[in-house]
């Protein structure tokens, strides 16, 4: 088979369907099982496709869509982990990073997950049976499930190569069954390389009952254990070992049916195999398998990796992909006891894997665990080299882990657990939570998307609304929930606004005309189309406070603000600068006061922001250039698209603005002295965002709403200058309105309270 694969591109061979499912316990900051309900923000557990529960209300299950690569699947799982960590942090909870359970004082307190409706009632009763049969603590053992499928391109190529004398589905079933048989033979290697549950808390079961020994002040283990989750007594397994018949799909279905008929399991999903054949219909899996064949495989061997916030390292995920290809290509010699032999090896590595001289059964012969592992990895490297897969670095890492026990996760964990099982895992949990909080504006896997879109995607995922990315470059997504569907561009371009609404707001002259018609104050202005027209006008306004800006630009592009007036040449230069960005330039009166951005979504002002022009505050020691460099290190500052704020650039406009103040970038401001670097306050030119939502008077908010209604906008940013924002009778003027407003600066302000604006968008487009 490998010679035939040589004829196709490595990308086709490597392409596969990858989905990840992570189970994790919610715990208190003291390491006890959190007894609170599953957070309501995640909605109906049976309907949220991303965030639900497993056995317990306290056991979160995170589910990624199917991706074409491990990178995408791992990134999405990290995004889900970040979302959950952020939500449960408000309840002072963390995600337990370990597969073996946290402190459980009383098994009877473990809250079984509650679901809605008739299906929910069935799910609850099934879990009650499991708790009675296996015990609640075992049900809380958590893991990471790796869902895998070969690409249809690869399968169809092989089917054609083998003369397709059988149907494609029948061929596909045979391919998957061979892969499953070989995986079951080699699963011990996965346990060795990824096992990460070598120790358990003393509250799990008694030391004597588990045949374990004391490890630290609060835990037990086996001397050379790697994965107690996969151990014979400590792990979660069926009461007796069950061996389905994987000879064909028919024999598999018949054997599992017999397990149910004999009362060995109550239903199909109680078969706790290391790998499962997955069907189109999860409600009737055996019927669906018989009708439609195998859809994908679910590997259930993996422990949670406590060192990874998402619970799995990308390289381990990549290795599993390569292992599945190896299982497809590797020959097999079957004999009556091959499954029993594979089970012996599984338990041996799980319980004694850190024993250097451990031997395993290979075709009824004892062989060195290390030698056998290296033999498998050498074969995988040969496949990698022959097919030009370019994954030698992945296999090299596993070879190093095989040669050096100290590189295994289990060994590394035992080192840090020596100080205490609970405290070591809480340290890791706290670190993961802190990292998620620090990067709370970023959605992993979507960093290349505009930040406002990331905010909306994150909110949709949180609430169980399915997200379909359509065009990353244009920031276009589709949201779906039930029969409701909406295509959205850049977070706020939706069907809720008419075609003419953004056209009105894009043209500043038209905007002002509409607002005047509705009696809303706007600055007086004069428009010019060339420098000759400007010369006639500018002579009359020398040294008068003035603003010069293009008619139809956003983000502060081409705008010059002269709060204290300017000479003729400076004004003319400003007009020339504005003409580079638009054929029509507006010269309008400077309005005294503070500038605020009112964000209107639907029928309410959801946030109010004061935009402070780019500035630095002196310490009496550093120059303006040094202070800018220091300020640019703030985690919110970056490109202004994937970050809430923009880096401050010391460009010619800044230099000119400083010159007008008799300063340069080398000037050292006094301690506490604020030096402004620009006249305009746009965030896109390095300004600060300061939340004023709770300080602005309701009367000014009503003006912003009236302005939005005047242009018939569901989504808009209203820029208003208010002379005294604390005085309802103060003079004010709307200087601009913006369609498709950038919500990130108000969701994550430089100063003040973060605002959950994704919620407001979903509400406005009827998803909430």
């Amino acid at each position: 088979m490998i010679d035939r694969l040589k004829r196709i591109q490595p990308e086709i061979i490597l392409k596969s369907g990858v989905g990840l499912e992570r189970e994790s316990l919610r715990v208190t900051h003291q390491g006890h099982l959190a007894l609170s309900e599953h957070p309501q923000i995640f909605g109906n557990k049976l309907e949220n496709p991303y965030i639900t529960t497993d056995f317990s209300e306290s056991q979160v299950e995170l589910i990624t869509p199917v991706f074409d690569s491990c990178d995408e699947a791992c990134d999405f799982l990290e995004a889900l982990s970040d979302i959950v960590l952020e939500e449960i942090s408000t309840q002072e909870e963390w995600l337990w990073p370990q597969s073996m359970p946290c402190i459980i004082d009383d098994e009877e307190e473990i809250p079984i997950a509650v679901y809605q409706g008739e299906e929910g009632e069935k799910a609850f009763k099934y879990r009650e049976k499991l708790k009675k049969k296996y015990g609640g603590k075992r049900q809380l053992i958590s893991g990471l499930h790796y869902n895998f499928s070969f690409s249809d391109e690869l399968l169809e190529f092989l089917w054609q190569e083998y003369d397709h004398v059988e149907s494609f589905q029948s061929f596909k079933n045979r391919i998957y069954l061979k892969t499953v048989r070989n995986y079951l033979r080699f699963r011990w290697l996965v346990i060795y390389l990824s096992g990460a549950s070598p120790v358990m808390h003393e509250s799990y079961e008694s030391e004597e009952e588990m045949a374990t020994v004391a490890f630290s002040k609060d835990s037990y283990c086996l001397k050379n254990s790697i994965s107690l989750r996969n151990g014979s007594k400590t792990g979660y397994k069926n009461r007796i070992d069950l061996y389905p018949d994987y000879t064909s799909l028919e024999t598999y279905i018949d054997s599992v049916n017999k397990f149910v008929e004999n009362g060995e399991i109550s239903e199909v999903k109680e078969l706790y195999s290391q790998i499962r054949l997955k069907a189109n219909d999860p409600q009737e899996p055996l019927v669906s398998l018989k009708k439609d064949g195998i859809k994908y495989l679910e590997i259930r061997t993996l422990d949670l990796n406590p060192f990874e916030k998402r619970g799995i390292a990308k390289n381990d995920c990549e290795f599993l992909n390569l292992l599945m290809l190896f299982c497809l290509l590797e020959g097999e010699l079957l004999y009556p006891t091959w499954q029993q032999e594979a089970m012996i090896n599984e338990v041996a590595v799980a319980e004694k894997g850190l024993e250097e001289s451990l031997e395993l059964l290979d075709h009824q012969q004892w062989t060195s665990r290390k030698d056998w592992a290296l033999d498998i990895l050498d074969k995988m490297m040969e496949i990698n080299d022959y097919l030009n897969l370019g994954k030698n670095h992945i296999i090299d890492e596993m070879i190093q882990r095989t040669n050096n026990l100290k590189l295994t996760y289990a060994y590394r964990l035992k080192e840090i657990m020596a100080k205490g099982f609970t405290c070591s895992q809480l340290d890791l949990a706290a670190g993961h939570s802190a990292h998620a909080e620090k990067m709370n504006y970023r959605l992993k896997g979507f960093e290349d998307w505009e930040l406002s879109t990331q905010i909306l995607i994150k909110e949709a995922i949180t609430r169980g609304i399915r997200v379909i990315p359509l065009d990353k470059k244009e920031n276009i997504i589709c949201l779906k929930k039930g029969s409701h569907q909406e295509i959205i561009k850049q977070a706020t371009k939706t069907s809720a606004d008419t075609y003419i609404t953004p056209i009105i707001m894009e043209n500043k002259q038209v905007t002002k005309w509409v607002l005047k018609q509705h009696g809303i104050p706007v600055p007086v202005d004069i428009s010019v189309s060339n420098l000759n027209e400007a010369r006639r006008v500018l002579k009359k306004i020398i040294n008068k406070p003035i603003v010069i800006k293009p008619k139809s630009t956003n983000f502060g592009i081409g705008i010059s603000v002269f709060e204290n007036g300017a000479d003729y040449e400076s004004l003319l230069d400003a007009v020339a600068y504005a003409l580079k960005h638009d054929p029509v330039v507006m010269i309008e009166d400077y309005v005294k006061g503070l500038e605020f951005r009112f964000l209107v979504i639907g029928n309410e002002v959801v946030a109010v922001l004061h935009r402070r022009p780019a500035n630095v505050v002196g310490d009496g020691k550093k120059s303006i250039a040094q202070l800018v460099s220091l300020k640019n290190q703030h985690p919110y500052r970056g490109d202004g698209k994937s970050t809430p704020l923009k880096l401050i650039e010391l460009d010619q406009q800044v230099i000119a603005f400083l010159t007008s103040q008799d300063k340069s970038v080398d000037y050292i401001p006094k301690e506490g002295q604020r030096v402004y670097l620009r006249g305009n306050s746009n965030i896109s030119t390095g300004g600060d965002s300061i939340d004023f939502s709770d300080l602005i008077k309701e009367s000014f908010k009503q003006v912003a709403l009236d302005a939005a209604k005047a242009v018939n906008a569901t989504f808009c940013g209203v820029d208003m200058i208010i002379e005294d924002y604390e005085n309802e009778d103060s003079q004010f003027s709307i200087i601009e309105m913006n369609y498709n407003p950038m919500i990130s600066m108000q969701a994550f302000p430089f100063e003040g309270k973060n605002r959950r604006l994704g919620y407001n968008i979903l509400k406005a487009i009827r998803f909430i």
Side-chain angles (χ1 to χ4, degrees):
M1 185 181 292
I2 192 169
D3 290 331
R4 301 180 190 228
L5 290 180
K6 183 72 172 175
R7 298 202 293 270
I8 61 175
Q9 296 175 332
E11 293 78 14
I12 296 176
I13 300 171
L14 289 172
K15 184 180 178 182
S16 56
V18 178
L20 301 172
E21 301 174 29
R22 173 193 177 180
E23 303 157 346
S24 295
L25 301 180
R26 289 186 291 108
V27 298
T28 68
H29 288 185
Q30 292 72 44
H32 294 265
L33 185 69
L35 302 180
S36 56
E37 293 182 354
H38 183 67
Q40 291 186 358
I41 195 169
F42 300 137
N44 188 319
K45 303 182 191 79
L46 294 177
E47 294 179 359
N48 191 319
Y50 307 114
I51 304 170
T52 182
T53 55
D54 195 79
F55 171 79
S56 171
E57 281 288 302
S58 311
Q59 191 174 34
V60 178
E61 184 171 8
L62 310 180
I63 306 167
T64 76
V66 178
F67 292 98
D68 292 336
S69 73
C70 288
D71 271 356
E72 292 173 294
C74 286
D75 283 348
F76 199 93
L77 183 59
E78 183 167 339
L80 293 178
S81 300
D82 285 339
I83 287 170
V84 172
L85 285 168
E86 187 177 345
E87 294 300 335
I88 67 175
S89 68
T90 61
Q91 304 172 181
E92 296 191 347
E93 294 173 359
W94 291 326
L95 285 182
W96 186 244
Q98 170 66 227
S99 282
M100 296 304 287
C102 57
I103 303 171
I104 303 173
D105 298 313
D106 184 356
E107 180 164 297
E108 294 307 311
E109 290 185 354
I110 297 173
I112 297 176
V114 178
Y115 300 88
Q116 298 176 354
E118 185 177 341
E119 287 300 317
E121 183 65 24
K122 290 179 183 177
F124 182 82
K125 289 181 177 178
Y126 173 68
R127 282 159 173 75
E128 280 188 318
K129 291 179 183 177
L130 293 179
K131 183 177 181 180
K132 184 176 181 180
K133 185 174 182 179
Y134 297 98
K137 293 179 182 179
R138 273 180 168 71
Q139 296 294 327
L140 294 187
I141 295 176
S142 301
L144 193 138
H145 299 166
Y146 164 83
N147 298 320
F148 172 87
S149 60
F150 293 110
S151 70
D152 281 344
E153 290 173 273
L154 177 62
L155 292 173
E156 287 175 2
F157 169 81
L158 291 173
W159 180 52
Q160 295 288 343
E161 285 291 306
Y162 284 91
D163 300 325
H164 54 273
V165 293
E166 59 185 329
S167 70
F168 175 66
Q169 187 58 62
S170 177
F171 175 79
K172 184 177 175 181
N173 292 339
R174 283 203 303 112
I175 288 290
Y176 278 128
L177 285 167
K178 182 192 176 185
T179 303
V180 166
R181 292 192 296 267
N182 271 336
Y183 177 80
L184 289 170
R185 286 180 56 217
F186 303 127
R187 68 185 186 260
W188 63 265
L189 179 59
V190 177
I191 295 174
Y192 173 81
L193 293 172
S194 66
S197 56
V199 179
M200 64 185 181
H201 190 261
E202 60 186 0
S203 67
Y204 180 66
E205 293 288 355
S206 70
E207 182 179 1
E208 296 79 11
E209 186 177 352
M210 296 292 100
T212 51
V213 295
F215 177 73
S216 65
K217 62 181 180 180
D218 64 346
S219 62
Y220 307 136
C221 75
L222 297 170
K223 182 179 179 182
N224 292 300
S225 54
I226 276 184
S227 175
L228 295 181
R229 174 177 167 272
N230 286 298
S232 61
K233 289 186 176 181
T234 54
Y236 188 13
K237 296 178 179 293
N238 293 114
R239 286 286 182 82
I240 60 172
D241 293 334
L242 299 173
Y243 302 108
D245 186 343
Y246 293 100
T247 305
S248 67
L249 190 56
E250 291 74 21
T251 59
Y252 171 80
I253 292 170
D254 289 343
S255 62
V256 176
N257 274 326
K258 285 179 182 177
F259 297 152
V260 177
E261 291 168 8
N262 295 338
E264 292 160 321
I265 54 176
S266 61
E267 51 186 282
V268 178
K269 60 184 176 182
E270 195 188 329
L271 177 62
Y272 301 125
S273 173
Q274 292 280 347
I275 189 167
R276 283 178 173 172
L277 314 183
K278 303 298 285 187
N280 279 321
D281 183 3
Q283 301 303 319
E284 296 286 345
L286 295 184
V287 174
S288 182
L289 281 173
K290 187 173 183 178
K291 177 185 176 185
D292 304 314
I294 301 169
K295 184 179 181 182
Y296 64 94
L297 305 177
E298 179 189 51
I299 292 175
R300 301 166 59 82
T301 308
L302 294 168
D303 289 345
L304 291 176
N305 183 341
F307 298 110
E308 296 284 342
K309 183 174 57 172
R310 71 175 80 89
I312 184 173
K314 284 187 177 181
N315 280 4
D316 291 336
C317 187
E318 290 269 19
F319 175 75
L320 284 172
N321 264 15
L322 295 172
L323 182 65
M324 299 307 280
L325 179 62
F326 169 75
C327 289
L328 169 63
L329 298 177
E330 178 70 357
E332 54 179 342
L333 177 62
L334 301 179
Y335 44 93
T337 59
W338 73 271
Q339 287 203 70
Q340 287 83 347
E341 186 178 277
M343 180 65 76
I344 290 170
N345 292 339
E346 172 191 322
V347 173
V349 173
E351 297 181 347
K352 298 183 291 183
L354 292 180
E355 182 182 309
E356 188 73 54
S357 60
L358 180 66
E359 291 190 337
L360 304 176
L361 278 170
D362 181 13
H363 293 88
Q364 302 176 325
Q365 299 293 321
W366 291 104
T367 187
S368 160
R369 184 269 310 158
K370 182 176 179 180
D371 290 345
W372 192 5
L374 291 174
D375 180 62
I376 294 170
L377 293 170
D378 285 344
K379 288 180 179 178
M380 292 177 66
M381 187 67 83
E382 290 173 5
I383 293 170
N384 171 77
D385 294 343
Y386 185 71
L387 297 177
N388 298 314
L389 301 180
K391 299 294 182 180
N392 51 297
H393 62 291
I394 302 293
I395 304 169
D396 276 335
E397 181 180 330
M398 304 307 158
I399 291 173
Q400 292 176 36
R401 214 177 287 176
T402 299
N403 281 321
N404 187 352
L405 290 169
K406 293 182 179 181
L407 297 178
T408 61
Y409 298 129
Y411 188 95
R412 291 166 57 196
L413 281 166
K414 281 188 171 180
E415 282 192 315
I416 67 171
M417 287 175 174
K419 67 178 182 180
F421 175 78
T422 303
C423 64
S424 67
Q425 298 311 290
L426 288 177
D427 285 348
L428 291 170
H432 297 330
S433 183
H435 184 269
E437 182 180 1
K438 180 180 179 182
M439 304 300 290
N440 66 339
Y441 67 86
R442 176 220 66 171
L443 187 63
K444 187 67 175 176
F446 292 88
E447 296 96 331
D448 293 339
W449 292 68
E450 184 264 339
L451 189 53
S452 294
T453 305
Q454 287 189 52
I455 291 169
L456 178 58
I457 292 173
K458 181 178 179 180
E459 192 70 32
I461 289 173
T462 301
R463 297 176 182 276
I465 300 166
R466 196 175 296 276
V467 178
I468 305 170
L470 298 178
D471 190 319
K472 180 167 65 175
K473 185 177 180 181
E474 296 292 330
N475 290 283
I476 301 175
I477 61 171
C478 176
L479 300 184
K480 293 185 71 173
K481 187 172 185 179
S483 60
H484 185 30
Q485 175 175 305
E486 183 85 26
I487 294 177
I488 303 161
K489 180 174 181 178
Q490 296 171 326
T492 58
K493 291 181 180 178
T494 76
S495 62
D497 279 317
T498 64
Y499 180 76
I500 197 64
T501 296
I503 293 176
I504 293 173
M505 286 188 280
E506 187 177 36
N507 188 308
K508 293 175 174 56
Q509 283 184 320
V510 174
T511 302
K512 292 174 75 171
W513 183 87
V514 172
L515 294 178
K516 284 180 183 178
Q517 295 296 306
H518 287 78
I520 299 172
V522 294
V524 176
D525 73 271
I526 301 171
S527 297
V528 298
S529 302
N530 54 61
L531 291 179
N532 287 331
E533 290 182 17
R535 288 186 181 97
R536 290 193 294 270
V537 172
L538 295 177
K539 291 177 182 179
K540 302 175 184 179
I541 57 173
I542 295 172
N543 295 326
K544 290 184 178 180
I546 210 77
V547 177
I548 296 174
K549 60 186 178 183
K551 180 188 68 174
S552 303
T553 63
N554 289 310
F555 308 113
I557 297 172
I559 295 177
S560 299
V561 179
F562 300 99
E563 181 179 354
N564 299 312
D567 58 37
Y568 176 78
E569 291 301 325
S570 297
L571 294 174
L572 193 62
D573 288 344
V575 173
Y577 174 61
L579 283 169
K580 292 179 180 179
H581 301 283
D582 197 280
V584 177
V585 172
M586 299 169 63
I587 304 171
E588 65 181 26
D589 290 347
Y590 174 82
V591 180
K592 185 180 178 182
L594 290 181
E595 181 183 342
F596 298 93
R597 161 65 64 88
F598 291 71
L599 179 62
V600 176
I601 298 181
N603 294 315
E604 64 180 312
V605 173
V606 297
V608 182
L609 201 74
H610 169 49
R611 297 181 298 181
R612 182 191 291 151
N615 69 92
V616 291
V617 177
D619 62 0
K621 299 175 182 178
K622 299 182 187 68
S623 68
I624 287 176
Q626 291 172 321
L627 291 169
V628 166
S629 178
L630 187 64
K631 190 168 185 176
N632 278 341
Q633 294 176 25
H634 191 283
Y636 278 8
R637 292 197 182 271
D639 60 11
K641 293 182 179 179
S642 60
T643 56
L645 298 171
K646 189 86 162 53
L647 293 171
I648 300 172
E649 297 180 19
L650 296 177
D651 56 18
Q652 289 301 314
Q653 279 192 293
V654 169
I655 293 171
F657 195 78
L658 288 173
T659 300
S660 70
Q661 304 173 63
D662 296 323
K663 295 180 178 69
S664 72
V665 295
D666 297 321
Y667 174 77
I668 299 176
K670 297 176 183 178
E671 185 173 356
Q673 179 187 3
R674 190 182 300 276
V675 178
Y676 289 97
L677 308 176
R678 293 181 184 272
N680 66 298
S681 59
N682 296 76
I683 301 302
S684 57
T685 54
D688 296 340
S689 52
I690 305 167
D691 181 54
F692 266 72
S693 304
D694 299 327
L695 301 175
I696 290 291
K697 301 294 184 182
E698 289 300 320
S699 59
F700 296 124
K701 292 181 181 180
Q702 186 59 52
V703 171
L705 285 175
D706 291 342
K709 290 176 182 177
V711 297
N712 196 28
T714 300
F715 300 95
C716 74
V718 181
D719 293 342
M720 189 185 307
I721 292 183
I722 307 174
E723 188 169 349
D724 180 3
Y725 70 90
E726 295 181 306
N727 179 4
E728 290 191 10
D729 297 323
S730 172
Q731 295 294 312
F732 68 90
S733 182
I734 292 179
I735 59 170
E736 196 170 294
M737 293 186 69
N738 296 272
Y739 76 97
N740 189 219
M742 183 174 65
I743 67 170
S744 56
M745 61 182 178
Q746 285 162 304
F748 302 102
F750 186 67
E751 294 178 17
K753 180 180 177 182
N754 290 0
R755 301 284 165 177
R756 195 152 193 162
L757 302 179
Y759 164 81
N760 300 102
I761 296 173
L762 293 174
K763 182 181 175 183
I765 54 178
R766 298 176 291 107
F767 277 103
I768 296 176

